[in-house]
Amino acid sequence: MGLIRDLFPAAWKGFGITLETIGRKTFTQSYPEKGKEKVTAPRFHGRHQLNRWPDGLEKCVGCELCAWACPADAIYVEGASNTEEERFSPGERYGRVYQINYLRCILCGMCIEACPTRALTMTNDFKLADTTREKMIYTKDRLLAPLMPGMEEAPHPRRLGPDEQSYFLGLPPTGEVDARTPVADPQEGKR
């Protein structure tokens, strides 16, 4: 009985606060804020991207090292062999099937560290929400980098340089350095 008597004044005090705030003007903030795009840090781990060589061929060689390195088992890669009639990458193999399940992915970056050809990188794109589970599984067509001017959609033969060394250095048939791809100075490490 004593407990009820002690709570009764506290209850009326709470009702009094409620009555005071009923007449106040409310403050509502719209979300997301229109016109203000979030700026991420330069090394932010966002959506993945499969990169291309300057002639448009894919850098992925289907080695599946990214899938092996993924701690969340979010990547599925199925490699296949290139032929001279249908060449998707400059090497012997290419990633025929490439999928990343963003419902599982923890965006840790282990896959990009494991990639030997630098085919897989992470962008600053952080808006990954979608309406269905199927849309959260990104396939190769959604992961491939867009074609830049001068690139050609695969399959096609290698277009850069007469041999493999000049191809992998990114030299076009003119022999001059490609302006789109920065080339490291070979003398830089010897100084």
Side-chain angles (χ1 to χ4, degrees), residues 2 146 174 191:
T174 61
R191 293 180 191 164

Side-chain angles (χ1 to χ4, degrees), residues 16-50:
I17 293 173
T18 304
L19 291 172
E20 284 178 25
T21 58
I22 284 178
R24 286 189 193 164
K25 184 177 179 184
T26 58
F27 173 74
T28 305
Q29 182 177 6
S30 64
Y31 180 82
E33 296 178 25
K34 304 291 183 206
K36 289 186 179 180
E37 189 66 33
K38 182 170 174 50
V39 178
T40 58
R43 294 178 61 186
F44 176 77
H45 286 188
R47 186 184 61 81
H48 296 79
Q49 175 174 292
L50 285 172

Side-chain angles (χ1 to χ4, degrees), residues 61 80-83 87 89-94:
V61 293
S81 296
N82 278 314
T83 62
R87 177 167 294 284
S89 73
E92 295 176 11
R93 293 172 44 93
Y94 72 100

Side-chain angles (χ1 to χ4, degrees), residues 1-187:
M1 202 61 156
L3 180 64
I4 295 174
R5 258 186 274 128
D6 293 339
L7 289 178
F8 192 69
W12 281 110
K13 188 175 180 182
F15 289 136
I17 293 173
T18 304
L19 291 172
E20 284 178 25
T21 58
I22 284 178
R24 286 189 193 164
K25 184 177 179 184
T26 58
F27 173 74
T28 305
Q29 182 177 6
S30 64
Y31 180 82
E33 296 178 25
K34 304 291 183 206
K36 289 186 179 180
E37 189 66 33
K38 182 170 174 50
V39 178
T40 58
R43 294 178 61 186
F44 176 77
H45 286 188
R47 186 184 61 81
H48 296 79
Q49 175 174 292
L50 285 172
N51 297 314
R52 299 176 185 264
W53 290 102
D55 65 349
L57 289 179
E58 302 164 9
K59 284 190 174 185
C60 179
V61 293
C63 66
E64 302 176 21
L65 286 175
C66 54
W68 282 93
C70 181
D73 197 23
I75 301 175
Y76 176 72
V77 181
E78 198 175 286
S81 296
N82 278 314
T83 62
E84 289 306 319
E85 297 81 34
E86 284 198 338
R87 177 167 294 284
F88 290 91
S89 73
E92 295 176 11
R93 293 172 44 93
Y94 72 100
R96 186 175 66 79
V97 176
Y98 201 102
Q99 296 176 347
I100 297 180
N101 185 345
Y102 280 106
L103 295 171
R104 288 185 176 182
C105 181
I106 59 174
L107 302 171
C108 64
M110 299 285 287
C111 52
I112 61 171
E113 296 295 329
C115 185
T117 60
R118 202 72 181 127
L120 188 63
T121 54
M122 295 180 93
T123 64
N124 285 350
D125 185 13
F126 60 90
K127 296 179 180 178
L128 297 174
D130 222 321
T131 55
T132 64
R133 296 177 67 82
E134 290 80 23
K135 291 180 182 176
M136 292 302 294
I137 299 174
Y138 280 51
T139 54
K140 185 176 171 180
D141 58 331
R142 290 176 71 186
L143 293 169
L144 270 173
L147 291 170
M148 302 296 288
M151 290 183 174
E152 182 183 346
E153 184 71 44
H156 62 77
R158 291 187 292 202
R159 305 256 190 256
L160 300 175
D163 58 1
E164 283 191 16
Q165 182 179 5
S166 59
Y167 183 87
F168 290 115
L169 288 176
L171 298 177
T174 61
E176 297 175 16
V177 177
D178 188 357
R180 294 175 297 182
T181 309
V183 177
D185 183 13
Q187 299 298 322

